[in-house]
Amino acid sequence: MRNLTEDDFKNKKVDLHIHTTFSDGKGEYKEIVENAKAKGYKLIAITDHNTVEAHKNIQDDILITGVEFDCWFGYVFIHLLAYNIDINHPSLQPFYAKNRTETEGVLIRLLPKRNVKKLIKAIHEAGGIAVLAHPACCWALSLERLVKNLVKIGLDGIETYYPYPRFRKFAKFHSAKDVLKIAEKYPGLIRTGGTDFHGEIF
């Protein structure tokens, strides 16, 4: 996956962070893909929480496979995005939600037992890349140290172009500028972007 530019995001040509009714989104997956094509998007990713059910039902030239895993990394609760994965790969099966509550229940999702190092390894085995989602919202005393430690265990990318919508604009612990500066210190990290869309009409 190539690095995104700020123009890709601002011009609404790429959105790699979209939720559907298969997790806590309000939009149906088919309508999201159809609307994205009608609006001229070049690339989108459905990244439901802990599930790939949408991808089992639809494939399209503009759609890449994705999922957003809830994890604890030490004392920090993080969301780890996986892109371009083989959704049926055996390595990923243990990390998927076992029931509907694990995809949409906020409190339940705060109790994951996913080992981040093993998860990143599984993502790689499934042919994908692991990306830290909305890093400015990570409750880390040092975001740079968090990223550094994740890079050590195989992190591939960081969500750099992100609008911090809804409650996240108030629950930020770092700035978007901080995220960009950290990303620049690790030139090997892929920079991605998305809106974390949860609405009904994309």
Side-chain angles (χ1 to χ4, degrees), residues 1 127-128 137:
M1 182 187 295
C137 294

Side-chain angles (χ1 to χ4, degrees), residues 4 14 22 36 38 41 44 55 73 80 85 92 131 138 178 197:
L4 297 176
V14 177
F22 277 115
Y41 276 81
I44 66 170
H55 295 289
F73 187 58
L80 198 65
I85 52 171
L92 283 178
V131 174
C138 292
D178 292 335
F197 178 78

Side-chain angles (χ1 to χ4, degrees), residues 7-194:
D7 285 342
D8 288 325
F9 176 73
K10 286 184 175 180
N11 294 333
K12 296 185 176 180
K13 297 299 182 184
V14 177
D15 193 328
L16 301 183
H17 197 155
I18 299 171
H19 294 274
T20 76
T21 53
F22 277 115
S23 63
D24 57 349
K26 297 179 181 178
E28 297 289 340
Y29 66 95
K30 287 183 180 179
E31 292 181 358
I32 286 174
V33 174
E34 290 172 359
N35 289 341
K37 293 174 71 173
K39 291 180 179 180
Y41 276 81
K42 296 179 180 178
L43 192 66
I44 66 170
I46 290 175
T47 53
D48 284 316
H49 286 283
N50 311 313
T51 183
V52 291
E53 289 302 310
H55 295 289
K56 293 179 181 179
N57 290 275
I58 190 170
Q59 293 83 42
D60 196 279
D61 290 342
I62 72 165
L63 181 65
I64 65 171
T65 53
V67 58
E68 184 175 18
F69 289 108
D70 300 298
C71 318
W72 284 94
F73 187 58
Y75 72 92
V76 185
F77 184 68
I78 66 171
H79 286 173
L80 198 65
L81 292 157
Y83 294 119
N84 280 333
I85 52 171
D86 171 1
I87 62 172
N88 297 310
H89 196 282
S91 296
L92 283 178
Q93 303 309 308
F95 297 97
Y96 292 143
K98 302 301 183 293
N99 54 62
R100 179 72 183 181
T101 304
E102 292 180 15
T103 68
E104 59 183 10
V106 176
L107 293 179
I108 295 296
R109 284 175 22 224
L110 284 172
L111 302 171
K113 298 180 180 178
R114 297 176 183 89
N115 179 289
V116 177
K117 185 175 182 179
K118 291 181 179 178
L119 173 57
I120 291 176
K121 182 175 182 288
I123 291 170
H124 291 164
E125 289 175 350
I129 63 170
V131 174
L132 179 63
H134 39 67
C137 294
C138 292
W139 300 4
L141 295 176
S142 171
L143 181 60
E144 185 169 354
R145 187 181 302 118
L146 172 68
V147 173
K148 180 180 180 180
N149 289 334
L150 285 169
V151 168
K152 286 180 180 179
I153 60 172
L155 185 73
D156 301 294
I158 185 167
E159 196 171 46
T160 308
Y161 307 111
Y162 180 85
Y164 295 94
R166 303 177 298 131
F167 69 91
R168 291 198 186 281
K169 63 185 174 183
F170 304 109
K172 287 188 294 184
F173 298 87
H174 313 277
S175 72
K177 290 183 179 179
D178 292 335
V179 175
L180 183 58
K181 287 180 181 178
I182 293 171
E184 290 172 344
K185 290 183 178 181
Y186 295 89
L189 282 181
I190 298 169
R191 300 180 201 173
T192 71

